[in-house]
Structure formats: C-alpha cells, structure tokens
Amino acid sequence: PLLSEALSTYLRLKGEGKNKIFVRAANRSIKYVIELLGDLPIDVYSSKDASKFRDYLLDRGLLISSVKRIFSSIRSIINLSITEEGISCINAFSKTYMPESNNVEIRKPIPIKDIKHIQVLCREYDDDLRWLIALLSDTGMRLGEGVGLLKSDIYLNSDIPHIRLIPHPWRRLKTRGSERYIPLVGASLWACKRILEYNNESIYAFPRYTSSKECNTNSASASLNKWLKEKLINDYVIHGFRHSFRDRLRAIECPSEIIDQLGGWSLRSVGQSYGRGYDIKIIYSWLTKINQ
C-alpha cells in the first residue's frame, strides 16, 4: 500500500473513539513525509530517506522531542499496515538515529511577584479564562487536568475544600500518580468558587474548551499564553505555573514526597509507591504556606 493508504488503514482501525488531536497528529506526520519524499509504497522508503526526513524536520526548526513524536507516529502507521497486509519488509523509519536533545525548549518558572500580579489581574477580569489561570497558579495542575474538570470534581463544602482529580473519557491523566486530591487555597479557591457560582447549565468547569468528545487544551494554551505575553515583561507560558509551583513548595522545605503527590509527578522510587500517600490534612497544611 501507498503511505496514504497505510494512513487510512491506521485511522480506520485505531482512530475509533480517539479525539481530533490523535487524527490531526497522524495526518500531519504523513503529510510531512509526502511533502518531502512523495506518496510511495511503504516498502520503497529507505533508511536514507528517513534520515533525510529527520534533517528536513530539524531544518524547519522543530524540537528534537517533536521530531521523535512524528517518527513514532509514522512507525506505528507503517507497522500496522505491515502486519495487516502480511508484508515482509523493513520499516525504514524504525531505527533512524536521533541526535541529543540539545534544542529542548526550557519552560521557565514564573517568579512569585509575577504570579501575584497575574492573580490580581485574574480577579479584575473575572472571566472563565482568568479562572483557569488562577486555578492552575495555586494548584500546580497540568493545563489539561484543569480544562477537563467537571464541576462535580470540585468539593467546596468539605472540611478542606479540594479537587478530586480523576480521569474522564474526554481527558485522560498522564500517569498513575496523576489521580489525586488537591486542596484549594488562595487564587485556586477563589477560582473554584467563581466556577461554581457561574450561572450556566453545563456540567463542565470550562465548557468553552471541553465537551463529552474532547478536551481542547491546544486552543486553551494558545489563548492563555497570548494573554500572559501581553501582561508580563518576559515570555512565560501557562506551564510555567507548574514549574513555579514546585519551586514554591521547595522554598518552604516541603518534603519531596508531598510535592510529588500534590503535583501528580511520577514516583521516583519503589518505596514511594507503598502505602496510600499523605492524608489531605497534611497536604493542606503545607499548601497553605506557599502564599504566606
């Protein structure tokens, strides 16, 4: 089969139930190959072609991490057709050498004075985009975790107001440790109050970006980063709040296991996976200190 036909097979067999991002990524990866090398039978591409394609992507200014993701997508698409069609050939994109990640984009943590400034602006603007920023700023959640929340994931009437972060059909969680309880303090508590006070009939915390079919984090990221760029002198992105959240907890000498549990970061040792983790009261006691 031609590469374009392999793509069609892949989307027909694996695209069922997947969101638009999955489909768009597969289409884009194959489009890049066809632009440079042409739409050829999958057994015609050579390892030299794959190396040429790698250099083509790097010359376009893509990060090595992005190039690796594109190659991973292409490998999966071709491998599926090889298996389905019973073809005896080598996937030319399977063993392409990748240089060291010397062009990784570094996401800078946002200084506390800028976080406070943004939090003040969020209260002044008082709309759903600013609620989302405020929510992320004092919880350390990933953007997708916040965007994909249901209103019923927010518990304000508990002894300790908190979010119960669980996976949903429209938004998976990144790691096993990502499912967690997050106490609400400061700007995040204010944001959740506004979300629940907002008079609409949607079950979603951010219906602008979330539906039963998808959680559009790319659109949210573009809008929020644009606003941050307008309001801050330096170029910070929304993910910078998550980096800052870890630094703020370090600054108060919070134990690393509590930091990992709060942020849903992967566990770094076997011992950390034992037991049920820290009680929410202990986590809350540390979290209240980051705004003192």
Side-chain angles (χ1 to χ4, degrees):
L2 298 174
L3 184 60
S4 58
E5 293 171 335
L7 171 63
S8 298
T9 300
Y10 183 79
L11 293 177
R12 175 172 56 83
L13 295 177
K14 290 201 169 185
E16 183 69 27
K18 297 294 178 62
N19 59 29
K20 293 179 181 177
I21 296 174
F22 174 86
V23 175
R24 186 164 57 239
N27 278 306
R28 183 171 56 240
S29 297
I30 297 305
K31 174 176 173 287
Y32 288 153
V33 177
I34 293 174
E35 282 179 353
L36 180 69
L37 304 172
D39 187 14
L40 306 176
I42 59 174
D43 63 339
V44 171
Y45 297 104
S46 66
S47 58
K48 184 176 181 180
D49 289 329
S51 297
K52 182 179 178 182
F53 180 63
R54 174 204 60 210
D55 295 342
Y56 165 74
L57 295 177
L58 292 173
D59 288 343
R60 288 181 58 140
L62 272 69
L63 298 174
I64 192 65
S65 56
S66 298
V67 175
K68 288 179 179 179
R69 281 196 297 271
I70 291 169
F71 266 76
S72 177
S73 178
I74 295 167
R75 282 196 300 270
S76 296
I77 291 166
I78 294 177
N79 282 338
L80 183 63
S81 273
I82 288 174
T83 302
E84 286 292 310
E85 302 291 339
I87 303 168
S88 179
C89 74
I90 295 174
N91 186 338
F93 296 84
S94 63
K95 295 183 179 180
T96 308
Y97 174 77
M98 294 291 166
E100 293 298 320
S101 304
N102 58 357
N103 63 341
V104 174
E105 180 183 14
I106 299 175
R107 289 164 171 162
K108 296 178 289 186
I110 303 173
I112 187 63
K113 65 179 179 62
D114 288 326
I115 292 175
K116 297 297 183 185
H117 174 60
I118 289 297
Q119 289 175 338
V120 169
L121 291 178
C122 286
R123 292 176 184 266
E124 292 176 0
Y125 278 73
D126 196 17
D127 60 14
D128 61 332
L129 291 181
R130 264 44 67 171
W131 302 339
L132 179 53
I133 293 175
L135 173 65
L136 300 179
S137 70
D138 274 346
T139 60
M141 284 195 296
R142 300 174 179 92
L143 177 59
E145 293 174 341
V147 172
L149 286 175
L150 289 175
K151 289 181 178 178
S152 59
D153 294 332
I154 301 171
Y155 296 81
L156 292 185
N157 295 324
S158 300
D159 292 340
I160 296 175
H162 66 276
I163 286 172
R164 184 187 176 209
L165 193 58
I166 58 176
H168 292 300
W170 53 89
R171 187 262 286 129
R172 301 175 183 175
L173 296 179
K174 187 173 183 179
T175 66
R176 185 164 57 94
S178 295
E179 187 170 339
R180 61 197 187 276
Y181 292 91
I182 306 175
L184 294 167
V185 299
S188 65
L189 178 59
W190 168 80
C192 285
K193 288 179 178 178
R194 296 299 293 129
I195 290 167
L196 296 188
E197 288 168 358
Y198 185 56
N199 186 24
N200 67 33
E201 298 179 355
S202 177
I203 63 173
Y204 305 105
F206 300 100
R208 182 198 295 244
Y209 298 117
T210 304
S211 68
S212 61
K213 294 183 179 180
E214 68 173 339
C215 178
N216 195 343
T217 54
N218 285 343
S219 180
S221 178
S223 297
L224 299 182
N225 287 337
K226 180 181 179 182
W227 187 75
L228 288 176
K229 188 173 183 179
E230 292 172 356
K231 301 303 177 184
L232 296 175
I233 296 175
N234 294 312
D235 286 340
Y236 296 110
V237 295
I238 194 68
H239 196 72
F241 285 109
R242 183 164 165 82
H243 287 256
S244 298
F245 184 73
R246 191 171 187 100
D247 281 346
R248 291 162 71 192
L249 289 168
R250 286 192 186 108
I252 58 172
E253 300 182 348
C254 179
S256 60
E257 283 194 37
I258 292 182
I259 295 176
D260 289 339
Q261 185 174 327
L262 258 174
W265 279 285
S266 298
L267 303 179
R268 289 171 290 176
S269 70
V270 174
Q272 283 184 268
S273 65
Y274 280 56
R276 301 175 63 180
Y278 286 90
D279 184 82
I280 192 171
K281 292 181 180 179
I282 297 175
I283 296 173
Y284 177 70
S285 68
W286 280 102
L287 199 50
T288 55
K289 298 177 182 179
I290 64 172
N291 286 318
Q292 293 178 357

